[in-house]
PDB file of all heavy atoms in Angstrom:
ATOM      1  N   GLU B 719     -53.128  64.200 -42.793  1.00  0.00           N
ATOM      2  CA  GLU B 719     -53.518  65.603 -42.716  1.00  0.00           C
ATOM      3  C   GLU B 719     -52.724  66.327 -41.628  1.00  0.00           C
ATOM      4  O   GLU B 719     -52.535  65.794 -40.528  1.00  0.00           O
ATOM      5  CB  GLU B 719     -55.007  65.702 -42.429  1.00  0.00           C
ATOM      6  CG  GLU B 719     -55.587  67.086 -42.612  1.00  0.00           C
ATOM      7  CD  GLU B 719     -57.084  67.128 -42.421  1.00  0.00           C
ATOM      8  OE1 GLU B 719     -57.636  66.232 -41.738  1.00  0.00           O
ATOM      9  OE2 GLU B 719     -57.716  68.054 -42.956  1.00  0.00           O
ATOM     10  N   ALA B 722     -46.313  67.352 -43.235  1.00  0.00           N
ATOM     11  CA  ALA B 722     -45.694  67.842 -44.475  1.00  0.00           C
ATOM     12  C   ALA B 722     -45.722  66.741 -45.528  1.00  0.00           C
ATOM     13  O   ALA B 722     -45.438  65.581 -45.234  1.00  0.00           O
ATOM     14  CB  ALA B 722     -44.261  68.282 -44.209  1.00  0.00           C
ATOM     15  N   ALA B 723     -46.042  67.146 -46.735  1.00  0.00           N
ATOM     16  CA  ALA B 723     -45.975  66.224 -47.873  1.00  0.00           C
ATOM     17  C   ALA B 723     -44.743  66.587 -48.693  1.00  0.00           C
ATOM     18  O   ALA B 723     -44.582  67.748 -49.088  1.00  0.00           O
ATOM     19  CB  ALA B 723     -47.231  66.329 -48.730  1.00  0.00           C
ATOM     20  N   TYR B 739     -40.987  73.134 -63.067  1.00  0.00           N
ATOM     21  CA  TYR B 739     -42.321  73.622 -62.744  1.00  0.00           C
ATOM     22  C   TYR B 739     -43.103  72.520 -62.021  1.00  0.00           C
ATOM     23  O   TYR B 739     -42.980  71.341 -62.343  1.00  0.00           O
ATOM     24  CB  TYR B 739     -43.095  73.982 -64.017  1.00  0.00           C
ATOM     25  CG  TYR B 739     -42.665  75.259 -64.685  1.00  0.00           C
ATOM     26  CD1 TYR B 739     -41.595  75.276 -65.564  1.00  0.00           C
ATOM     27  CD2 TYR B 739     -43.355  76.438 -64.460  1.00  0.00           C
ATOM     28  CE1 TYR B 739     -41.206  76.445 -66.189  1.00  0.00           C
ATOM     29  CE2 TYR B 739     -42.980  77.615 -65.081  1.00  0.00           C
ATOM     30  CZ  TYR B 739     -41.898  77.608 -65.938  1.00  0.00           C
ATOM     31  OH  TYR B 739     -41.518  78.780 -66.561  1.00  0.00           O
ATOM     32  N   ILE B 752     -48.284  75.705 -59.209  1.00  0.00           N
ATOM     33  CA  ILE B 752     -47.894  75.769 -57.803  1.00  0.00           C
ATOM     34  C   ILE B 752     -46.655  76.638 -57.631  1.00  0.00           C
ATOM     35  O   ILE B 752     -46.667  77.620 -56.895  1.00  0.00           O
ATOM     36  CB  ILE B 752     -47.601  74.355 -57.240  1.00  0.00           C
ATOM     37  CG1 ILE B 752     -48.832  73.453 -57.372  1.00  0.00           C
ATOM     38  CG2 ILE B 752     -47.180  74.452 -55.769  1.00  0.00           C
ATOM     39  CD1 ILE B 752     -48.571  72.003 -56.993  1.00  0.00           C
ATOM     40  N   LEU B 756     -35.351  77.702 -60.970  1.00  0.00           N
ATOM     41  CA  LEU B 756     -34.263  77.398 -61.897  1.00  0.00           C
ATOM     42  C   LEU B 756     -33.148  76.647 -61.175  1.00  0.00           C
ATOM     43  O   LEU B 756     -32.812  75.530 -61.547  1.00  0.00           O
ATOM     44  CB  LEU B 756     -33.715  78.689 -62.502  1.00  0.00           C
ATOM     45  CG  LEU B 756     -32.647  78.522 -63.587  1.00  0.00           C
ATOM     46  CD1 LEU B 756     -33.189  77.751 -64.780  1.00  0.00           C
ATOM     47  CD2 LEU B 756     -32.104  79.883 -64.011  1.00  0.00           C
ATOM     48  N   LYS B 757     -32.579  77.245 -60.140  1.00  0.00           N
ATOM     49  CA  LYS B 757     -31.541  76.541 -59.384  1.00  0.00           C
ATOM     50  C   LYS B 757     -31.598  76.863 -57.899  1.00  0.00           C
ATOM     51  O   LYS B 757     -31.101  76.097 -57.082  1.00  0.00           O
ATOM     52  CB  LYS B 757     -30.152  76.859 -59.920  1.00  0.00           C
ATOM     53  CG  LYS B 757     -29.835  78.310 -60.053  1.00  0.00           C
ATOM     54  CD  LYS B 757     -28.468  78.488 -60.687  1.00  0.00           C
ATOM     55  CE  LYS B 757     -28.141  79.955 -60.907  1.00  0.00           C
ATOM     56  NZ  LYS B 757     -26.840  80.144 -61.536  1.00  0.00           N
ATOM     57  N   ALA B 765     -46.342  76.447 -51.383  1.00  0.00           N
ATOM     58  CA  ALA B 765     -45.382  75.353 -51.236  1.00  0.00           C
ATOM     59  C   ALA B 765     -43.952  75.877 -51.250  1.00  0.00           C
ATOM     60  O   ALA B 765     -43.707  77.056 -51.501  1.00  0.00           O
ATOM     61  CB  ALA B 765     -45.574  74.351 -52.373  1.00  0.00           C
ATOM     62  N   ASN B 796     -38.925  72.565 -68.196  1.00  0.00           N
ATOM     63  CA  ASN B 796     -39.510  73.335 -69.287  1.00  0.00           C
ATOM     64  C   ASN B 796     -38.815  74.670 -69.457  1.00  0.00           C
ATOM     65  O   ASN B 796     -38.445  75.298 -68.464  1.00  0.00           O
ATOM     66  CB  ASN B 796     -40.989  73.537 -68.961  1.00  0.00           C
ATOM     67  CG  ASN B 796     -41.718  74.351 -69.970  1.00  0.00           C
ATOM     68  OD1 ASN B 796     -42.068  75.491 -69.717  1.00  0.00           O
ATOM     69  ND2 ASN B 796     -41.946  73.796 -71.139  1.00  0.00           N
TER      70      ASN B 796
END
Side-chain angles (χ1 to χ4, degrees):
Chain B
E719 192 176 23
Y739 286 84
I752 301 173
L756 185 61
K757 52 184 177 181
N796 178 252

